[in-house]
Every structure is written in C-alpha cells, then in structure tokens.
Amino acid sequence: MATATGPLALNIFVPSMPGLVDVFQTDYAMVQLALTSYLVAVGVAQLAYGPISDRFGRRPALLGGLVVYAVANIACMLAWSIESLIAARVLQAIGGCAGMVLGRAIVRDVYDRDRAASAIALITMAMAVAPAMGPAIGGLIDTNFGWQATFVVPLIVGLVVLCGAWFRLNETNVHPIPTIDLTAMLRNYASLLRSRAYIGYACNTAMSVGAFFSFIAGAPYVMIEVLHAGPEVYGFYFVLISVGYMTGNFLASRLSSRLGVDRMIPLGVGVSLVGAVTGFGLMMAGLVNPVVVFLPMCVVAIGNGLSQPNGISGAVSVNPTIAGAASGLMGFGQMVIGACFTVLVGYFQNDHDHAAMSSMILFATVSSALFFILARTAPRGE
C-alpha cells in the first residue's frame, strides 16, 4: 500500500492536465512540468531516502515520507497558479517516493535474490491497482467535481497508509549502518556506478520506465486533443495498461523463483519489443484511434511486468549490504530517465498523430534490451 501512494498521485492527476491549460491560462508544455517536476523530485528524493533508511531504519523514513505526502496533497488542492501547483507537486513527490524506494529495500531485507524478485512482483502487481484505477477515477472526478478534487483521493489513501504503517509495519533493517558518512555514501554510489552488472540491471529497469512515461506524456494529449475524447474516456482505456502490467507481474511472481532473474528479464523485454514494434508500425501506417494507441502499449506493459521485478532484484542484489542506497540510486535513474522522456515526447508531439510517443517507446524498449546484455555479460562480482 505504501508503494502505491506515489504512482496514485502521479496517475490520478494526468487526465486533468489538458484542462489546466485554460484554468491557469498557460500552455501544455508548462502544465506538463507538473508531471516532469514530479518525476525529477521523486528521483532526487530517493537518493536521500536510501541512505537515511540504511542508517535510521525503513520504518521512520517511511512514516516521515507519508506525513509529507499528506500535507502536499492539501497544498495541491489550494494551488492558485500553475507555478504553485508545480511546487506542491514537487513536495507531493518527495513524500510519495518514500514507499517506492523503501518498499524495494524492505523486500530485499527479508528475502534472497530470486525470492525477492517474486515478492517484488507481487507488490508491484498490487501497486498497479493505483495506476489502473487512478486515471479512471481522476477522469470521473475531474469531469464532475473539478481538478482540485482529484487530490482528495490521494490524501485519504495517504492517511490510511500512514495509520496502517504506524501500527502494522515492523522494522526490517536489523543491521543499520552506525552513521551517515557522506564520504562513504558517495563511495557506495561510486562503487555501484562502477559495476557493469548494476548499471545493466538498473538501466534496464530505467528504460522500461521510460517507455511507460513516454506513454503517460503523450497519450492524454492524443486522446483529448487529437481524438477529442473526454478525460473519463482516457481513464477507461488506461485500465488496459495496468491490467497488462498486473498480468506480467502475476506471471513473474509465479515464474521468477523457478526461472531466475537472468531468464525472466529477456522474456519480458522480448514481449515488450513485440508491442513497441507493433505500435510503431501502426503509427507509420497512419492509424490513429484509441485501440491503436492503447493495445500495443498493453503488450509492452505485460513485458515490463515480467522484466521489471527481476531487474530491480538484480540491481539491489549486486551489493545487499547497501540495498537501500542501491534502491535509491536506481529509483533516481528511473525518474530522471522518465522525466527526460516526458520532455522529449512533449517537445515533439504534434496535433494529428502519436509519432513522438510511439518512437520513444520503441527506443526505450530497444535500449532496455541492450542494457540487459551489459548486465548479463558482466564478470561475476563486477
């Protein structure tokens, strides 16, 4: 549940983005900064949560993040300009990313490498309920009550999770590091960045995330501005993406312990490539309709659901003694890559097709495959 808070806040807001152009008398590129800044803030904050949780424990770091998350949702509702909304979204991201990074570290505290992949798959499958329901709920709320009301649901969920974590979550970091040593922290990050295996696994997951955020950046504009569908229609179709991701996660939870990380990742990436190539081919044929936009991405999502938990497990298992730092650095990379892809899609998006979105999804998926090759060919222990 804690892991779902960040994705919920991200996705429930997306159907409202095109309408905010008129609300705040600005352009879509400025409104999209509310998405891009969220991703950047999540990435940067994860660099801090990892070492903090390695030192003070997962529980206090998570509780603190959930408090920030609740306050930020209130600030978003009270935003009076696009600039104030962007600032509130940054605060919302700082709080919401706590569950995202600490959930992975908690799992790695409890399970070994291959068992952790299965557990992460189960968690991300449950977490996918948030992005599955978020756009649909957000679209309906925006249509009937206005964009401010879309922040009520994340606020309520955040408070419920805060209470649940306070009473139910035990500390899993039983061997915390004695002190936060900035030099040691930088040394840990440097050692991870020198590891071909870590770079390969982490960038494999980051590029998969890049494909998803390329879709998040482009699909609302295509549906609402190009195809003239309402926010609620976008939310309805988006359920396909999350169902696809949940399907991949479910299969990963059953197969990862049996097949292992290094067999599951190419399986997932191969499925994603089928979807990405299909989507790009349909775009080149000049087809633009909701099924063409969403169905290939559903296949990509199934593949990502298969590969992502295993890539995450592979990355945080390179050096289990600094799993928190490894998870935070990986999350930082994911969000920075995701932010870059949203900017590129927004910059190249036109008013009659989805060429920018489908091209970036294909590029991200091919890159994901190449980074896995890097991880797989790394010498043992490197």
Side-chain angles (χ1 to χ4, degrees), residues 259-309:
L259 299 181
V261 164
D262 292 325
R263 292 181 180 177
M264 289 296 298
I265 294 176
L267 174 63
V269 172
V271 173
S272 294
L273 276 172
V274 171
V277 171
T278 301
F280 184 79
L282 292 172
M283 182 277 299
M284 292 294 291
L287 299 176
V288 187
N289 60 61
V291 174
V292 168
V293 170
F294 280 87
L295 195 56
M297 188 60 198
C298 179
V299 178
V300 174
I302 293 172
N304 286 353
L306 287 166
S307 64
Q308 277 278 79

mmCIF file of all heavy atoms in Angstrom, residues 259-309:
data_model
loop_
_atom_site.group_PDB
_atom_site.id
_atom_site.type_symbol
_atom_site.label_atom_id
_atom_site.label_comp_id
_atom_site.label_asym_id
_atom_site.label_seq_id
_atom_site.Cartn_x
_atom_site.Cartn_y
_atom_site.Cartn_z
ATOM 1 N N LEU A 259 12.638 -19.758 -12.689
ATOM 2 C CA LEU A 259 13.498 -19.486 -13.847
ATOM 3 C C LEU A 259 14.697 -18.623 -13.509
ATOM 4 O O LEU A 259 15.726 -18.700 -14.181
ATOM 5 C CB LEU A 259 12.681 -18.819 -14.961
ATOM 6 C CG LEU A 259 11.510 -19.616 -15.531
ATOM 7 C CD1 LEU A 259 10.821 -18.832 -16.638
ATOM 8 C CD2 LEU A 259 11.981 -20.972 -16.046
ATOM 9 N N GLY A 260 14.572 -17.759 -12.506
ATOM 10 C CA GLY A 260 15.670 -16.891 -12.129
ATOM 11 C C GLY A 260 15.637 -15.561 -12.863
ATOM 12 O O GLY A 260 15.012 -15.408 -13.913
ATOM 13 N N VAL A 261 16.329 -14.590 -12.297
ATOM 14 C CA VAL A 261 16.343 -13.222 -12.803
ATOM 15 C C VAL A 261 16.797 -13.152 -14.252
ATOM 16 O O VAL A 261 16.175 -12.488 -15.099
ATOM 17 C CB VAL A 261 17.243 -12.347 -11.904
ATOM 18 C CG1 VAL A 261 17.596 -11.034 -12.585
ATOM 19 C CG2 VAL A 261 16.570 -12.087 -10.554
ATOM 20 N N ASP A 262 17.893 -13.840 -14.580
ATOM 21 C CA ASP A 262 18.519 -13.672 -15.888
ATOM 22 C C ASP A 262 17.814 -14.423 -17.008
ATOM 23 O O ASP A 262 18.212 -14.307 -18.181
ATOM 24 C CB ASP A 262 19.991 -14.087 -15.818
ATOM 25 C CG ASP A 262 20.804 -13.129 -14.966
ATOM 26 O OD1 ASP A 262 20.497 -11.920 -15.000
ATOM 27 O OD2 ASP A 262 21.726 -13.577 -14.261
ATOM 28 N N ARG A 263 16.781 -15.164 -16.700
ATOM 29 C CA ARG A 263 15.918 -15.721 -17.741
ATOM 30 C C ARG A 263 14.631 -14.917 -17.877
ATOM 31 O O ARG A 263 14.079 -14.808 -18.982
ATOM 32 C CB ARG A 263 15.585 -17.186 -17.425
ATOM 33 C CG ARG A 263 16.773 -18.130 -17.521
ATOM 34 C CD ARG A 263 16.338 -19.555 -17.217
ATOM 35 N NE ARG A 263 17.462 -20.486 -17.292
ATOM 36 C CZ ARG A 263 17.368 -21.783 -17.006
ATOM 37 N NH1 ARG A 263 16.198 -22.294 -16.637
ATOM 38 N NH2 ARG A 263 18.429 -22.559 -17.093
ATOM 39 N N MET A 264 14.167 -14.363 -16.782
ATOM 40 C CA MET A 264 12.907 -13.624 -16.816
ATOM 41 C C MET A 264 13.042 -12.280 -17.528
ATOM 42 O O MET A 264 12.129 -11.843 -18.230
ATOM 43 C CB MET A 264 12.399 -13.390 -15.388
ATOM 44 C CG MET A 264 11.899 -14.634 -14.692
ATOM 45 S SD MET A 264 10.441 -15.355 -15.494
ATOM 46 C CE MET A 264 9.264 -14.009 -15.316
ATOM 47 N N ILE A 265 14.192 -11.617 -17.360
ATOM 48 C CA ILE A 265 14.340 -10.292 -17.969
ATOM 49 C C ILE A 265 14.267 -10.358 -19.496
ATOM 50 O O ILE A 265 13.491 -9.609 -20.109
ATOM 51 C CB ILE A 265 15.637 -9.612 -17.500
ATOM 52 C CG1 ILE A 265 15.557 -9.306 -15.991
ATOM 53 C CG2 ILE A 265 15.863 -8.307 -18.274
ATOM 54 C CD1 ILE A 265 16.829 -8.715 -15.420
ATOM 55 N N PRO A 266 15.039 -11.219 -20.181
ATOM 56 C CA PRO A 266 14.910 -11.251 -21.647
ATOM 57 C C PRO A 266 13.532 -11.697 -22.116
ATOM 58 O O PRO A 266 13.064 -11.264 -23.177
ATOM 59 C CB PRO A 266 16.001 -12.232 -22.080
ATOM 60 C CG PRO A 266 16.323 -13.027 -20.870
ATOM 61 C CD PRO A 266 16.092 -12.120 -19.698
ATOM 62 N N LEU A 267 12.862 -12.543 -21.338
ATOM 63 C CA LEU A 267 11.499 -12.932 -21.683
ATOM 64 C C LEU A 267 10.582 -11.709 -21.694
ATOM 65 O O LEU A 267 9.828 -11.476 -22.647
ATOM 66 C CB LEU A 267 10.982 -13.974 -20.689
ATOM 67 C CG LEU A 267 9.513 -14.381 -20.831
ATOM 68 C CD1 LEU A 267 9.278 -15.036 -22.187
ATOM 69 C CD2 LEU A 267 9.102 -15.329 -19.698
ATOM 70 N N GLY A 268 10.688 -10.904 -20.633
ATOM 71 C CA GLY A 268 9.855 -9.714 -20.546
ATOM 72 C C GLY A 268 10.197 -8.677 -21.600
ATOM 73 O O GLY A 268 9.308 -8.085 -22.228
ATOM 74 N N VAL A 269 11.479 -8.444 -21.811
ATOM 75 C CA VAL A 269 11.901 -7.457 -22.808
ATOM 76 C C VAL A 269 11.464 -7.887 -24.207
ATOM 77 O O VAL A 269 11.058 -7.054 -25.029
ATOM 78 C CB VAL A 269 13.425 -7.243 -22.751
ATOM 79 C CG1 VAL A 269 13.901 -6.381 -23.910
ATOM 80 C CG2 VAL A 269 13.820 -6.592 -21.431
ATOM 81 N N GLY A 270 11.510 -9.193 -24.491
ATOM 82 C CA GLY A 270 11.064 -9.683 -25.789
ATOM 83 C C GLY A 270 9.585 -9.402 -26.034
ATOM 84 O O GLY A 270 9.194 -8.982 -27.135
ATOM 85 N N VAL A 271 8.763 -9.616 -25.012
ATOM 86 C CA VAL A 271 7.326 -9.303 -25.135
ATOM 87 C C VAL A 271 7.127 -7.807 -25.359
ATOM 88 O O VAL A 271 6.327 -7.392 -26.209
ATOM 89 C CB VAL A 271 6.570 -9.774 -23.876
ATOM 90 C CG1 VAL A 271 5.117 -9.303 -23.912
ATOM 91 C CG2 VAL A 271 6.617 -11.297 -23.766
ATOM 92 N N SER A 272 7.863 -6.987 -24.613
ATOM 93 C CA SER A 272 7.747 -5.536 -24.781
ATOM 94 C C SER A 272 8.143 -5.097 -26.187
ATOM 95 O O SER A 272 7.521 -4.195 -26.765
ATOM 96 C CB SER A 272 8.621 -4.814 -23.749
ATOM 97 O OG SER A 272 8.147 -5.026 -22.438
ATOM 98 N N LEU A 273 9.172 -5.717 -26.745
ATOM 99 C CA LEU A 273 9.597 -5.369 -28.102
ATOM 100 C C LEU A 273 8.500 -5.654 -29.120
ATOM 101 O O LEU A 273 8.311 -4.880 -30.075
ATOM 102 C CB LEU A 273 10.861 -6.145 -28.462
ATOM 103 C CG LEU A 273 12.186 -5.548 -27.990
ATOM 104 C CD1 LEU A 273 13.335 -6.530 -28.244
ATOM 105 C CD2 LEU A 273 12.471 -4.228 -28.692
ATOM 106 N N VAL A 274 7.777 -6.746 -28.933
ATOM 107 C CA VAL A 274 6.663 -7.058 -29.835
ATOM 108 C C VAL A 274 5.632 -5.927 -29.815
ATOM 109 O O VAL A 274 5.168 -5.449 -30.864
ATOM 110 C CB VAL A 274 6.003 -8.397 -29.451
ATOM 111 C CG1 VAL A 274 4.712 -8.608 -30.242
ATOM 112 C CG2 VAL A 274 6.961 -9.557 -29.694
ATOM 113 N N GLY A 275 5.273 -5.468 -28.608
ATOM 114 C CA GLY A 275 4.307 -4.384 -28.504
ATOM 115 C C GLY A 275 4.830 -3.082 -29.070
ATOM 116 O O GLY A 275 4.101 -2.349 -29.770
ATOM 117 N N ALA A 276 6.093 -2.758 -28.789
ATOM 118 C CA ALA A 276 6.667 -1.488 -29.256
ATOM 119 C C ALA A 276 6.776 -1.446 -30.778
ATOM 120 O O ALA A 276 6.457 -0.430 -31.406
ATOM 121 C CB ALA A 276 8.042 -1.272 -28.617
ATOM 122 N N VAL A 277 7.236 -2.543 -31.364
ATOM 123 C CA VAL A 277 7.357 -2.593 -32.825
ATOM 124 C C VAL A 277 5.979 -2.526 -33.479
ATOM 125 O O VAL A 277 5.780 -1.837 -34.496
ATOM 126 C CB VAL A 277 8.106 -3.871 -33.257
ATOM 127 C CG1 VAL A 277 8.039 -4.060 -34.771
ATOM 128 C CG2 VAL A 277 9.560 -3.816 -32.801
ATOM 129 N N THR A 278 4.999 -3.210 -32.901
ATOM 130 C CA THR A 278 3.636 -3.169 -33.434
ATOM 131 C C THR A 278 3.064 -1.758 -33.382
ATOM 132 O O THR A 278 2.489 -1.268 -34.363
ATOM 133 C CB THR A 278 2.728 -4.129 -32.650
ATOM 134 O OG1 THR A 278 3.241 -5.454 -32.741
ATOM 135 C CG2 THR A 278 1.301 -4.096 -33.197
ATOM 136 N N GLY A 279 3.223 -1.099 -32.244
ATOM 137 C CA GLY A 279 2.720 0.266 -32.111
ATOM 138 C C GLY A 279 3.369 1.219 -33.096
ATOM 139 O O GLY A 279 2.701 2.059 -33.714
ATOM 140 N N PHE A 280 4.680 1.085 -33.266
ATOM 141 C CA PHE A 280 5.399 1.959 -34.194
ATOM 142 C C PHE A 280 4.958 1.678 -35.630
ATOM 143 O O PHE A 280 4.769 2.605 -36.426
ATOM 144 C CB PHE A 280 6.905 1.736 -34.057
ATOM 145 C CG PHE A 280 7.737 2.646 -34.906
ATOM 146 C CD1 PHE A 280 7.980 3.958 -34.524
ATOM 147 C CD2 PHE A 280 8.281 2.190 -36.104
ATOM 148 C CE1 PHE A 280 8.753 4.802 -35.314
ATOM 149 C CE2 PHE A 280 9.052 3.024 -36.901
ATOM 150 C CZ PHE A 280 9.283 4.338 -36.507
ATOM 151 N N GLY A 281 4.764 0.405 -35.967
ATOM 152 C CA GLY A 281 4.328 0.058 -37.312
ATOM 153 C C GLY A 281 2.941 0.603 -37.632
ATOM 154 O O GLY A 281 2.696 1.116 -38.732
ATOM 155 N N LEU A 282 2.019 0.519 -36.682
ATOM 156 C CA LEU A 282 0.672 1.048 -36.891
ATOM 157 C C LEU A 282 0.698 2.561 -37.038
ATOM 158 O O LEU A 282 -0.060 3.140 -37.832
ATOM 159 C CB LEU A 282 -0.231 0.638 -35.726
ATOM 160 C CG LEU A 282 -0.552 -0.865 -35.634
ATOM 161 C CD1 LEU A 282 -1.285 -1.162 -34.340
ATOM 162 C CD2 LEU A 282 -1.368 -1.318 -36.838
ATOM 163 N N MET A 283 1.567 3.214 -36.278
ATOM 164 C CA MET A 283 1.706 4.661 -36.408
ATOM 165 C C MET A 283 2.233 5.028 -37.789
ATOM 166 O O MET A 283 1.737 5.961 -38.438
ATOM 167 C CB MET A 283 2.642 5.188 -35.315
ATOM 168 C CG MET A 283 2.846 6.705 -35.315
ATOM 169 S SD MET A 283 4.121 7.281 -36.485
ATOM 170 C CE MET A 283 5.574 6.435 -35.855
ATOM 171 N N MET A 284 3.228 4.276 -38.271
ATOM 172 C CA MET A 284 3.775 4.539 -39.596
ATOM 173 C C MET A 284 2.729 4.308 -40.687
ATOM 174 O O MET A 284 2.786 4.928 -41.759
ATOM 175 C CB MET A 284 4.993 3.644 -39.849
ATOM 176 C CG MET A 284 6.200 3.972 -38.981
ATOM 177 S SD MET A 284 6.903 5.600 -39.356
ATOM 178 C CE MET A 284 7.598 5.305 -40.986
ATOM 179 N N ALA A 285 1.778 3.430 -40.425
ATOM 180 C CA ALA A 285 0.698 3.184 -41.389
ATOM 181 C C ALA A 285 -0.369 4.274 -41.356
ATOM 182 O O ALA A 285 -1.322 4.231 -42.152
ATOM 183 C CB ALA A 285 0.063 1.824 -41.111
ATOM 184 N N GLY A 286 -0.229 5.227 -40.437
ATOM 185 C CA GLY A 286 -1.157 6.352 -40.380
ATOM 186 C C GLY A 286 -2.414 6.103 -39.575
ATOM 187 O O GLY A 286 -3.385 6.865 -39.697
ATOM 188 N N LEU A 287 -2.412 5.070 -38.758
ATOM 189 C CA LEU A 287 -3.597 4.754 -37.957
ATOM 190 C C LEU A 287 -3.543 5.481 -36.625
ATOM 191 O O LEU A 287 -2.548 5.400 -35.898
ATOM 192 C CB LEU A 287 -3.686 3.249 -37.723
ATOM 193 C CG LEU A 287 -3.824 2.380 -38.990
ATOM 194 C CD1 LEU A 287 -3.800 0.912 -38.623
ATOM 195 C CD2 LEU A 287 -5.111 2.728 -39.725
ATOM 196 N N VAL A 288 -4.605 6.193 -36.293
ATOM 197 C CA VAL A 288 -4.702 6.895 -35.003
ATOM 198 C C VAL A 288 -6.110 6.694 -34.462
ATOM 199 O O VAL A 288 -7.073 7.307 -34.941
ATOM 200 C CB VAL A 288 -4.415 8.408 -35.138
ATOM 201 C CG1 VAL A 288 -4.370 9.046 -33.747
ATOM 202 C CG2 VAL A 288 -3.125 8.672 -35.876
ATOM 203 N N ASN A 289 -6.254 5.822 -33.494
ATOM 204 C CA ASN A 289 -7.520 5.632 -32.785
ATOM 205 C C ASN A 289 -7.200 5.050 -31.418
ATOM 206 O O ASN A 289 -6.061 4.625 -31.175
ATOM 207 C CB ASN A 289 -8.485 4.737 -33.583
ATOM 208 C CG ASN A 289 -7.932 3.353 -33.840
ATOM 209 O OD1 ASN A 289 -7.643 2.593 -32.910
ATOM 210 N ND2 ASN A 289 -7.758 3.001 -35.116
ATOM 211 N N PRO A 290 -8.151 5.029 -30.489
ATOM 212 C CA PRO A 290 -7.832 4.569 -29.124
ATOM 213 C C PRO A 290 -7.250 3.173 -29.048
ATOM 214 O O PRO A 290 -6.341 2.923 -28.253
ATOM 215 C CB PRO A 290 -9.200 4.648 -28.421
ATOM 216 C CG PRO A 290 -9.929 5.737 -29.140
ATOM 217 C CD PRO A 290 -9.519 5.597 -30.577
ATOM 218 N N VAL A 291 -7.739 2.248 -29.871
ATOM 219 C CA VAL A 291 -7.227 0.878 -29.823
ATOM 220 C C VAL A 291 -5.767 0.839 -30.270
ATOM 221 O O VAL A 291 -4.920 0.177 -29.654
ATOM 222 C CB VAL A 291 -8.086 -0.054 -30.700
ATOM 223 C CG1 VAL A 291 -7.471 -1.450 -30.767
ATOM 224 C CG2 VAL A 291 -9.501 -0.137 -30.155
ATOM 225 N N VAL A 292 -5.440 1.577 -31.340
ATOM 226 C CA VAL A 292 -4.069 1.625 -31.836
ATOM 227 C C VAL A 292 -3.134 2.272 -30.811
ATOM 228 O O VAL A 292 -1.969 1.882 -30.684
ATOM 229 C CB VAL A 292 -4.015 2.390 -33.175
ATOM 230 C CG1 VAL A 292 -2.590 2.713 -33.577
ATOM 231 C CG2 VAL A 292 -4.694 1.575 -34.267
ATOM 232 N N VAL A 293 -3.639 3.248 -30.061
ATOM 233 C CA VAL A 293 -2.826 3.924 -29.054
ATOM 234 C C VAL A 293 -2.579 3.015 -27.852
ATOM 235 O O VAL A 293 -1.452 2.932 -27.346
ATOM 236 C CB VAL A 293 -3.497 5.239 -28.614
ATOM 237 C CG1 VAL A 293 -2.785 5.832 -27.397
ATOM 238 C CG2 VAL A 293 -3.500 6.249 -29.763
ATOM 239 N N PHE A 294 -3.616 2.311 -27.400
ATOM 240 C CA PHE A 294 -3.528 1.612 -26.117
ATOM 241 C C PHE A 294 -3.156 0.135 -26.216
ATOM 242 O O PHE A 294 -2.463 -0.375 -25.330
ATOM 243 C CB PHE A 294 -4.859 1.741 -25.359
ATOM 244 C CG PHE A 294 -5.022 3.053 -24.664
ATOM 245 C CD1 PHE A 294 -5.553 4.134 -25.318
ATOM 246 C CD2 PHE A 294 -4.626 3.206 -23.348
ATOM 247 C CE1 PHE A 294 -5.693 5.366 -24.682
ATOM 248 C CE2 PHE A 294 -4.755 4.419 -22.693
ATOM 249 C CZ PHE A 294 -5.300 5.508 -23.363
ATOM 250 N N LEU A 295 -3.606 -0.569 -27.252
ATOM 251 C CA LEU A 295 -3.388 -2.020 -27.273
ATOM 252 C C LEU A 295 -1.908 -2.394 -27.382
ATOM 253 O O LEU A 295 -1.443 -3.267 -26.628
ATOM 254 C CB LEU A 295 -4.201 -2.657 -28.402
ATOM 255 C CG LEU A 295 -4.354 -4.181 -28.312
ATOM 256 C CD1 LEU A 295 -4.975 -4.587 -26.981
ATOM 257 C CD2 LEU A 295 -5.207 -4.691 -29.476
ATOM 258 N N PRO A 296 -1.113 -1.782 -28.282
ATOM 259 C CA PRO A 296 0.317 -2.126 -28.293
ATOM 260 C C PRO A 296 1.008 -1.820 -26.972
ATOM 261 O O PRO A 296 1.876 -2.579 -26.527
ATOM 262 C CB PRO A 296 0.880 -1.262 -29.439
ATOM 263 C CG PRO A 296 -0.273 -1.002 -30.330
ATOM 264 C CD PRO A 296 -1.454 -0.872 -29.395
ATOM 265 N N MET A 297 0.603 -0.718 -26.327
ATOM 266 C CA MET A 297 1.205 -0.383 -25.037
ATOM 267 C C MET A 297 0.809 -1.390 -23.967
ATOM 268 O O MET A 297 1.571 -1.630 -23.026
ATOM 269 C CB MET A 297 0.814 1.035 -24.617
ATOM 270 C CG MET A 297 1.540 1.530 -23.379
ATOM 271 S SD MET A 297 3.350 1.554 -23.602
ATOM 272 C CE MET A 297 3.898 1.616 -21.889
ATOM 273 N N CYS A 298 -0.361 -1.988 -24.104
ATOM 274 C CA CYS A 298 -0.759 -3.048 -23.175
ATOM 275 C C CYS A 298 0.206 -4.222 -23.267
ATOM 276 O O CYS A 298 0.595 -4.800 -22.242
ATOM 277 C CB CYS A 298 -2.187 -3.500 -23.481
ATOM 278 S SG CYS A 298 -2.784 -4.833 -22.423
ATOM 279 N N VAL A 299 0.635 -4.574 -24.496
ATOM 280 C CA VAL A 299 1.610 -5.656 -24.671
ATOM 281 C C VAL A 299 2.953 -5.253 -24.066
ATOM 282 O O VAL A 299 3.618 -6.060 -23.405
ATOM 283 C CB VAL A 299 1.753 -6.000 -26.165
ATOM 284 C CG1 VAL A 299 2.810 -7.089 -26.362
ATOM 285 C CG2 VAL A 299 0.421 -6.457 -26.745
ATOM 286 N N VAL A 300 3.369 -3.998 -24.294
ATOM 287 C CA VAL A 300 4.603 -3.502 -23.683
ATOM 288 C C VAL A 300 4.517 -3.612 -22.162
ATOM 289 O O VAL A 300 5.479 -4.005 -21.486
ATOM 290 C CB VAL A 300 4.871 -2.037 -24.098
ATOM 291 C CG1 VAL A 300 6.073 -1.478 -23.343
ATOM 292 C CG2 VAL A 300 5.116 -1.948 -25.599
ATOM 293 N N ALA A 301 3.352 -3.278 -21.608
ATOM 294 C CA ALA A 301 3.175 -3.326 -20.157
ATOM 295 C C ALA A 301 3.271 -4.747 -19.619
ATOM 296 O O ALA A 301 3.815 -4.971 -18.528
ATOM 297 C CB ALA A 301 1.825 -2.709 -19.783
ATOM 298 N N ILE A 302 2.756 -5.719 -20.361
ATOM 299 C CA ILE A 302 2.894 -7.119 -19.935
ATOM 300 C C ILE A 302 4.375 -7.488 -19.846
ATOM 301 O O ILE A 302 4.828 -8.087 -18.859
ATOM 302 C CB ILE A 302 2.170 -8.061 -20.919
ATOM 303 C CG1 ILE A 302 0.649 -7.840 -20.850
ATOM 304 C CG2 ILE A 302 2.502 -9.527 -20.605
ATOM 305 C CD1 ILE A 302 -0.121 -8.591 -21.921
ATOM 306 N N GLY A 303 5.126 -7.107 -20.873
ATOM 307 C CA GLY A 303 6.560 -7.393 -20.852
ATOM 308 C C GLY A 303 7.281 -6.692 -19.717
ATOM 309 O O GLY A 303 8.143 -7.288 -19.048
ATOM 310 N N ASN A 304 6.935 -5.431 -19.481
ATOM 311 C CA ASN A 304 7.542 -4.708 -18.366
ATOM 312 C C ASN A 304 7.198 -5.354 -17.033
ATOM 313 O O ASN A 304 8.027 -5.384 -16.113
ATOM 314 C CB ASN A 304 7.091 -3.249 -18.375
ATOM 315 C CG ASN A 304 7.745 -2.431 -19.470
ATOM 316 O OD1 ASN A 304 8.637 -2.920 -20.162
ATOM 317 N ND2 ASN A 304 7.307 -1.207 -19.646
ATOM 318 N N GLY A 305 5.974 -5.852 -16.903
ATOM 319 C CA GLY A 305 5.594 -6.536 -15.674
ATOM 320 C C GLY A 305 6.405 -7.788 -15.426
ATOM 321 O O GLY A 305 6.685 -8.152 -14.278
ATOM 322 N N LEU A 306 6.820 -8.451 -16.502
ATOM 323 C CA LEU A 306 7.674 -9.632 -16.377
ATOM 324 C C LEU A 306 9.109 -9.265 -16.024
ATOM 325 O O LEU A 306 9.746 -9.918 -15.195
ATOM 326 C CB LEU A 306 7.664 -10.416 -17.695
ATOM 327 C CG LEU A 306 6.402 -11.202 -18.049
ATOM 328 C CD1 LEU A 306 6.438 -11.615 -19.511
ATOM 329 C CD2 LEU A 306 6.261 -12.429 -17.148
ATOM 330 N N SER A 307 9.634 -8.204 -16.651
ATOM 331 C CA SER A 307 11.054 -7.896 -16.506
ATOM 332 C C SER A 307 11.375 -6.993 -15.324
ATOM 333 O O SER A 307 12.425 -7.150 -14.683
ATOM 334 C CB SER A 307 11.581 -7.249 -17.793
ATOM 335 O OG SER A 307 10.960 -5.994 -18.030
ATOM 336 N N GLN A 308 10.496 -6.032 -15.015
ATOM 337 C CA GLN A 308 10.824 -5.029 -14.006
ATOM 338 C C GLN A 308 11.167 -5.604 -12.644
ATOM 339 O O GLN A 308 12.200 -5.246 -12.067
ATOM 340 C CB GLN A 308 9.660 -4.030 -13.867
ATOM 341 C CG GLN A 308 9.667 -2.920 -14.893
ATOM 342 C CD GLN A 308 10.607 -1.798 -14.493
ATOM 343 O OE1 GLN A 308 11.815 -1.893 -14.657
ATOM 344 N NE2 GLN A 308 10.054 -0.741 -13.971
ATOM 345 N N PRO A 309 10.337 -6.478 -12.044
ATOM 346 C CA PRO A 309 10.692 -7.001 -10.711
ATOM 347 C C PRO A 309 12.039 -7.712 -10.698
ATOM 348 O O PRO A 309 12.782 -7.637 -9.715
ATOM 349 C CB PRO A 309 9.545 -7.973 -10.389
ATOM 350 C CG PRO A 309 8.424 -7.548 -11.263
ATOM 351 C CD PRO A 309 9.049 -7.022 -12.519
#
